[in-house]
Amino acid sequence: MKASCHILSAVLRLVLLVAFLPLAAPLARAQYDKDVFSFRGRNALSEGKWAEAITQFNVLARLDTTDYWTFFYRGIAKYNLGDIRGSQRDFDTAIRLNPVFTSGYHYRAITQNRFGRYDAALEDLEKAISLRPGLTGLYFTRGVTYFLSQQFEPAVRDFDRYIRQEPKDPSAYLNRGASHLFLGDTLKAVNDYNKAIKLDRFEPEGYVRRGRLFAAQGRYDDAIADMDKAVELDTANTFAYFNRALMYYEQSRLNEAMADLNKVLEFEPGNALTLYNRSLIRAQVGDYANALEDMDRVININPKNVLAYYNRAAFFSGMGRWEDALADYNKAIELYPDFAKAYMNRSYVELQLGMNRASREDYKTANRKVQEYRNKTGFDGVSFADTTQKYNTLLALDADFAKKDFDDELLQHRDVDINLRPLYKFVLTDSRDDTFYALERRYENPLLDRFLAGLSLPVVVTNDEKYLSGRETALQLGTADSAFEGPESSRREFLKALADIDAKRYNSAMLHYEKAIAATGDRYEELYKAFYLMNRGVLRAEMIDFIASMETNVQTLTMDDKGNTRARVRDQVTTSYDYSEAIADLEQAADILGSVPYIHFDLGNLYCLSSQLVNAIDSYDKAIRLYPYMGDAYFNRGLLLIYLKDKEKGCIDLSRAGELGVKDSYSVISRYCAEEQNR
């Protein structure tokens, strides 16, 4: 009723104004409209109706492009819907319109954190603090940013300052405790966890963290008691069940460990890490049949998991299935040629099969690789070339654990294979395939076609696995210069690099790429350098990916925001892999020859792996503009859009990818787009 009276009163006032000030009426009506839309938008924000809020602020943005509050509020709504990229654009606009807007810098810093751009986030926070040094929430967010960027001492200082002003916020103690833990001060860490628990006894996070710390100290009874409490408070806390399983295992309480792992799998049937660990326990008690079933599922989810093949081979050995064991050791060595322990074990299997000569060679190879590793300097940890590494212990990889919604769910290690479509590269093939059909919509580029036709060996640009098995061609070529005919030294070096990659001589391949890139020639040869840079960038990225796949103790860090300014950091930090050299190669290739979609596609993948998600989207956009029928680019862009909560656009892209022949699209659509289709 009050609202109706307000509107009626406003209309009466408007009529009176029209009589006396006709020229001012449009401005008055516009102002009235703005007030209404602003009220509706802010009201929707307060009620958590994010989509409705965006609708109202969209109208406001059209009515007045200079009101920084409009873009700021819309940015908040987008952020809460998961559109981090869109929210950052709005915060950028708000700051551009008002360069002294403290909240704009603060919230943009939060979005920068989500993208992993910690330096940019710190710059924004410094600006915000310079504008309002007394705003304590800024120090909390900066403490989180320091932690995420692994600057733990300044993180502690910021949390100290925040706690002095807000001594009853348990999240601050959890964050400061995690920072102390990385600084090696377990006493201060446990004190902070105790304080967080005291402040909020009904929050399981404090018990989980303190329990993990107790477990690291060997205090398993205390650790299990904390996990019991966490499970009591949240009976669906899969992370607590998983950690308690590891603790039970350390106490040789295998039945309890199995029960907890089974509980995790009730909630998350596709949790590859839990399947992996349950498989190892089953094998330990002699239940090889079920152990194999679990490990088969792990390999189905992640077919490049070296340890899965290695351990399955051990299961086969325990069952006397020597041929199967040999095949799995072969696969493990194919994935990682320096895996000394795999050579040693394969030597034993070959001995059982009567392959005495091969057995001796593998035994020598294993010992040589161990010695080579021991002779190396500058390595801090234990390499997979070192046989002292334990390969059959349970792994504590937190990255497989996700909340029930898609907020923190990873795009890997699940039942549905939704990895990014792989990088494009030049590879040797067994024969030239110059035939194509009109309906194939083959990508045509005169310069690329000229380059391929001018090579003395058959080469294709692909990311299809069926082309990546041209090892016979490479082995026949060997390293004889006579096998690489051609008028230009750069192309000879390029072909040698391709042959070396097929033979897994990666260091040699890098040297050949460098020579090819350094060579000089005519105008065409200068353009061809883009292809050499593209392939070198891909090789660098693949070498990094392989190292990443070998890490066992990593944990995904996400910002668990409360009120948009609160985030809990975790006790471990994801290992950061540096793709900068690979990206630099692809960027240089794009500068030389920006008309090739494969280069932009590869850049999109590398930007994605480097958490530069906005750049990744832009690169896929360029690839699609250059080649509108590139299904892989639609697929990857669709996955990324879904991850960024722009599900509608992401599902449209996945549908388009399916139309263009990317069969993986439909399994992803059935999982993540069904709700959208049924609305």
Side-chain angles (χ1 to χ4, degrees):
M1 184 66 183
K2 290 181 179 179
S4 299
C5 293
H6 172 74
I7 294 174
L8 179 59
S9 174
V11 171
L12 289 174
R13 287 198 306 271
L14 184 59
V15 171
L16 292 173
L17 286 170
V18 167
F20 296 101
L21 296 170
L23 295 177
L27 293 176
R29 180 59 184 265
Q31 183 61 47
Y32 164 74
D33 286 344
K34 285 176 59 181
D35 290 342
V36 170
F37 287 116
S38 179
F39 171 78
R40 290 175 180 172
R42 287 183 282 111
N43 190 55
L45 278 181
S46 66
E47 295 178 358
K49 299 177 180 178
W50 315 118
E52 182 180 332
I54 290 175
T55 299
Q56 303 300 324
F57 292 124
N58 282 344
V59 176
L60 274 175
R62 289 195 295 271
L63 290 173
D64 184 357
T65 59
T66 64
D67 187 351
Y68 61 91
W69 282 108
T70 296
F71 296 96
F72 176 73
Y73 286 140
R74 190 174 69 177
I76 292 175
K78 288 181 178 179
Y79 181 89
N80 283 282
L81 282 174
D83 184 5
I84 310 302
R85 182 171 61 138
S87 67
Q88 184 172 329
R89 283 202 305 268
D90 277 345
F91 296 146
D92 287 341
T93 302
I95 292 169
R96 177 176 56 79
L97 294 172
N98 182 3
V100 293
F101 187 26
T102 304
S103 294
Y105 289 106
H106 187 185
Y107 279 71
R108 189 171 70 175
I110 293 173
T111 63
Q112 299 280 22
N113 275 335
R114 292 291 296 271
F115 288 122
R117 301 182 191 132
Y118 305 125
D119 289 341
L122 288 171
E123 287 180 11
D124 276 346
L125 289 167
E126 290 293 339
K127 180 66 174 179
I129 289 171
S130 71
L131 292 169
R132 292 187 63 185
L135 192 62
T136 56
L138 295 172
Y139 299 98
F140 187 103
T141 303
R142 192 173 67 176
V144 171
T145 307
Y146 278 134
F147 182 95
L148 293 173
S149 60
Q150 303 186 45
Q151 300 180 60
F152 303 115
E153 290 182 356
V156 168
R157 289 195 294 270
D158 272 347
F159 290 129
D160 286 343
R161 180 162 185 166
Y162 177 81
I163 288 170
R164 284 196 295 270
Q165 298 297 320
E166 299 286 344
K168 294 185 178 181
D169 185 347
S171 292
Y173 292 97
L174 289 174
N175 289 355
R176 190 174 68 177
S179 302
H180 282 312
L181 197 57
F182 273 98
L183 291 172
D185 195 334
T186 56
L187 180 60
K188 287 184 178 179
V190 77
N191 286 340
D192 275 343
Y193 292 158
N194 289 339
K195 183 66 174 179
I197 291 170
K198 184 177 180 180
L199 288 169
D200 187 355
R201 296 185 180 276
F202 300 101
E203 169 57 58
E205 181 76 9
Y207 296 100
V208 171
R209 295 197 184 200
R210 189 175 68 180
R212 285 162 58 87
L213 192 155
F214 286 154
Q217 296 175 332
R219 298 167 56 184
Y220 292 111
D221 290 338
D222 293 332
I224 290 171
D226 271 349
M227 294 302 163
D228 290 344
K229 185 65 176 178
V231 169
E232 176 188 331
L233 293 169
D234 180 5
T235 57
N237 192 324
T238 55
F239 193 51
Y241 285 115
F242 179 82
N243 277 281
R244 191 170 67 178
L246 298 181
M247 297 165 191
Y248 282 141
Y249 179 81
E250 291 297 330
Q251 292 188 322
S252 299
R253 297 163 63 179
L254 301 187
N255 288 335
E256 290 99 323
M258 282 290 291
D260 274 351
L261 293 178
N262 290 337
K263 193 70 175 178
V264 173
L265 292 169
E266 285 180 21
F267 292 105
E268 301 179 14
N271 190 307
L273 181 65
T274 304
L275 289 166
Y276 177 91
N277 285 343
R278 188 174 72 173
S279 176
L280 294 181
I281 293 178
R282 283 176 163 174
Q284 187 172 333
V285 298
D287 185 7
Y288 287 117
N290 284 317
L292 281 173
E293 182 181 344
D294 280 346
M295 202 61 76
D296 288 345
R297 290 181 63 192
V298 173
I299 290 172
N300 184 55
I301 293 168
N302 185 0
K304 293 187 179 181
N305 187 322
V306 176
L307 290 180
Y309 290 105
Y310 174 85
N311 282 289
R312 192 172 69 174
F315 301 164
F316 285 137
S317 295
M319 301 169 72
R321 294 170 57 176
W322 305 113
E323 294 285 354
D324 291 327
L326 180 62
D328 271 353
Y329 283 131
N330 289 343
K331 184 65 176 179
I333 290 170
E334 177 188 339
L335 289 170
Y336 187 47
D338 285 334
F339 198 165
K341 188 69 173 179
Y343 284 102
M344 188 68 73
N345 288 8
R346 189 172 70 174
S347 173
Y348 175 75
V349 170
E350 289 165 340
L351 192 62
Q352 302 305 310
L353 291 170
M355 303 166 63
N356 296 335
R357 182 176 179 181
S359 176
R360 285 193 299 271
E361 288 300 318
D362 274 347
Y363 183 79
K364 291 178 182 177
T365 300
N367 285 309
R368 185 180 71 252
K369 289 185 178 297
V370 172
Q371 191 58 45
E372 287 174 355
Y373 169 73
R374 289 173 178 166
N375 291 337
K376 289 179 180 177
T377 58
F379 288 86
D380 297 327
V382 179
S383 166
F384 267 65
D386 186 355
T387 57
T388 62
Q389 173 76 23
K390 295 181 180 178
Y391 301 107
N392 57 351
T393 56
L394 301 193
L395 300 183
L397 176 64
D398 303 342
D400 245 12
F401 288 86
K403 296 180 180 178
K404 290 185 181 298
D405 56 356
F406 191 53
D407 287 358
D408 299 309
E409 188 163 4
L410 299 180
L411 296 180
Q412 67 261 30
H413 308 309
R414 295 294 178 190
D415 278 332
V416 180
D417 182 8
I418 50 175
N419 293 313
L420 293 174
R421 297 290 296 165
L423 299 166
Y424 278 84
K425 57 187 176 182
F426 293 82
V427 296
L428 290 172
T429 187
D430 289 326
S431 61
R432 297 186 190 276
D433 185 7
D434 295 327
T435 62
F436 67 94
Y437 303 95
L439 293 178
E440 288 181 347
R441 295 167 172 169
R442 184 178 75 97
Y443 172 68
E444 296 183 62
N445 182 303
L447 183 67
L448 177 60
D449 292 342
R450 182 183 189 278
F451 173 70
L452 294 175
L455 296 174
S456 59
L457 297 172
V459 173
V460 295
V461 185
T462 185
N463 66 348
D464 192 332
E465 291 290 333
K466 74 178 183 180
Y467 286 102
L468 306 183
S469 57
R471 200 155 288 122
E472 289 185 8
T473 302
L475 293 176
Q476 290 171 2
L477 292 171
T479 57
D481 285 342
S482 60
F484 304 94
E485 299 174 357
E488 301 294 339
S489 62
S490 61
R491 278 179 270 178
R492 287 200 301 272
E493 295 295 338
F494 180 68
L495 290 173
K496 289 179 183 179
L498 299 187
D500 279 338
I501 291 171
D502 264 358
K504 295 189 179 296
R505 296 190 293 265
Y506 301 124
N507 290 332
S508 177
M510 290 295 290
L511 292 175
H512 287 306
Y513 280 139
E514 290 172 7
K515 291 179 181 178
I517 293 166
T520 58
D522 60 18
R523 180 171 62 90
Y524 284 111
E525 286 301 314
E526 291 301 311
L527 293 174
Y528 292 162
K529 286 184 180 180
F531 303 141
Y532 310 151
L533 286 161
M534 170 181 154
N535 251 39
R536 187 175 72 174
V538 170
L539 177 58
R540 283 173 163 167
E542 289 177 344
M543 292 171 73
I544 293 169
D545 286 345
F546 185 76
I547 294 171
S549 73
M550 308 300 258
E551 297 295 330
T552 58
N553 295 315
V554 299
Q555 176 167 352
T556 297
L557 273 169
T558 56
M559 292 189 68
D560 181 19
D561 301 287
K562 291 187 175 181
N564 301 301
T565 60
R566 297 290 182 271
R568 286 184 181 174
V569 295
R570 297 185 181 174
D571 294 346
Q572 296 182 14
V573 177
T574 302
T575 304
S576 178
Y577 297 100
D578 183 10
Y579 289 89
S580 59
E581 289 187 341
I583 289 174
D585 276 349
L586 269 299
E587 287 178 339
Q588 188 178 349
D591 289 339
I592 295 173
L593 198 60
S595 62
V596 177
Y598 306 121
I599 295 173
H600 297 290
F601 175 90
D602 288 351
L603 263 176
N605 278 26
L606 297 186
Y607 283 140
C608 188
L609 292 171
S610 302
S611 298
Q612 300 180 48
L613 303 186
V614 175
N615 288 342
I617 291 285
D618 290 340
S619 290
Y620 293 137
D621 290 345
K622 290 176 183 176
I624 290 169
R625 282 199 298 272
L626 290 167
Y627 183 24
Y629 305 111
M630 194 176 196
D632 288 336
Y634 282 101
F635 181 88
N636 286 6
R637 190 175 70 177
L639 284 184
L640 198 50
L641 287 169
I642 288 175
Y643 179 75
L644 293 172
K645 310 295 177 58
D646 199 348
K647 185 179 285 188
E648 183 177 356
K649 291 180 182 176
C651 293
I652 291 172
D653 272 353
L654 289 172
S655 177
R656 180 62 174 153
E659 292 174 5
L660 292 171
V662 183
K663 295 180 180 179
D664 292 344
S665 299
Y666 296 108
S667 62
V668 183
I669 289 171
S670 66
R671 177 162 185 170
Y672 294 115
C673 300
E675 293 181 0
E676 293 292 329
Q677 293 169 351
N678 293 334
R679 287 180 181 176

